[in-house]
Amino acid sequence: MSEACTRWPWIVLAVIAAAAVGIPLVAGEQVADFAAALRPPGAGHLAGTDHSGYDLLVRTAAGLRVSLLIAVVCAVAATVLGLAVGVAAALAGGWVDAVVMRLVDGFNALPHLVVGIVIAAMWRGAPLAIIASIALTHWPAVARVVRAELLAITDSGWIQTSRLAGASRWFIARGHLLPAVTGQALVAMVMVLPHAVWHESTLSFLGVGLSPDRASLGTLLSDARGDVLTGAWWTLVVPAAALVVTALAFAAVGTLVRERHRPPVGQVW
């Protein structure tokens, strides 16, 4: 893979993050101006305005910032939970490992969106509920990856040497196993990010996510449903484009991270 191909996803992601933080700061606090509502893109407003007269570019950047923050927190929470379960199952082994992995399979079999809607609807509008709904439905994949990686190295010579030397399971887990799966855990966390962005936007779009007065990509898309019927196509296109580009950038970065941390062919632990 050429250097340019490995660089552009990081550049796109950096531009997205800079826009999400910088545009609202430069624009300052916005005030609703209903006289300027639903103006098409032009010199005064590069992305047009929404039904409340807010500049849609600034509004989308602010919503993107919220969606990115929620996605990062969800990815970290899901990775930590999955890492803990995967390490515990691999260390315990035997029937404990079998029971834990059947529970993981059970969680993984549940439809993520339906479970997320149920959890988010119980505390509608609470960011913590959205984070919990996404993290609790995405940790099983992390747990399976971590457990598989640990099982592949448990019988390695250096692990056996530590056991024969009298090292405790906690010492082996902290000193040997956790560092060995850090790369795979990082890959899993990055791969969760686009899913978290999509799920947050979907929950807010369906009305069980963030409150409508709080900008996120999902709430902007939800507001655009009525505006599009009046011909204001830009209210849908601008946040939708931001959502698609962000998700694709996260997915591309995740692929690069996964390739970088993939063990060489024929490597034996």
Side-chain angles (χ1 to χ4, degrees):
M1 187 177 295
S2 65
E3 185 178 352
C5 292
T6 60
R7 185 176 297 176
W8 75 261
W10 295 100
I11 296 176
V12 172
L13 196 58
V15 171
I16 291 173
V21 176
I23 292 178
L25 289 178
V26 173
E29 184 179 358
Q30 290 199 95
V31 179
D33 183 8
F34 294 99
L38 297 180
R39 288 185 177 177
H45 302 280
L46 296 179
T49 61
D50 63 7
H51 61 274
S52 297
Y54 292 114
D55 187 283
L56 191 59
L57 180 62
V58 179
R59 189 78 168 163
T60 301
L64 180 59
R65 180 175 57 186
V66 173
S67 296
L68 288 177
L69 180 60
I70 291 177
V72 170
V73 175
C74 290
V76 172
T79 302
V80 171
L81 182 58
L83 184 63
V85 173
V87 171
L91 283 179
W95 67 268
V96 175
D97 179 36
V99 171
V100 170
M101 295 315 298
R102 295 299 75 77
L103 291 176
V104 171
D105 291 338
F107 270 98
N108 203 34
L110 297 174
H112 292 179
L113 183 58
V114 175
V115 176
I117 291 175
V118 172
I119 297 175
M122 295 175 65
W123 297 277
R124 182 172 297 182
L128 186 59
I130 299 176
I131 294 172
S133 67
I134 298 174
L136 292 177
T137 54
H138 286 76
W139 67 267
V142 181
R144 295 189 66 87
V145 170
V146 170
R147 173 183 174 271
E149 190 72 15
L150 289 178
L151 292 179
I153 65 175
T154 299
D155 296 329
S156 60
W158 44 284
I159 295 295
Q160 295 299 330
T161 301
S162 297
R163 288 176 176 172
L164 292 175
S168 64
R169 288 187 175 184
W170 167 248
F171 178 84
I172 293 175
R174 179 172 52 87
H176 298 302
L177 299 183
L178 284 178
V181 298
T182 299
Q184 292 299 325
L186 177 62
V187 172
M189 183 180 69
V190 176
M191 297 303 292
V192 169
L193 286 170
H195 292 276
V197 172
W198 281 111
H199 276 254
E200 183 280 322
S201 300
T202 302
L203 292 174
S204 297
F205 177 79
L206 295 176
V208 295
L210 296 176
S211 57
D213 61 316
R214 180 174 297 178
S216 77
L217 295 181
T219 57
L220 293 177
L221 291 172
S222 180
D223 293 339
R225 288 181 296 182
D227 299 335
V228 170
L229 298 178
T230 65
W233 53 267
W234 56 90
T235 61
L236 176 64
V237 171
V238 174
L243 174 60
V244 172
V245 172
T246 301
L248 291 177
F250 273 133
V253 169
T255 301
L256 293 177
V257 173
R258 181 177 58 189
E259 292 296 327
R260 179 173 299 179
H261 288 86
R262 177 177 294 174
V265 178
Q267 177 176 338
V268 178
W269 293 95

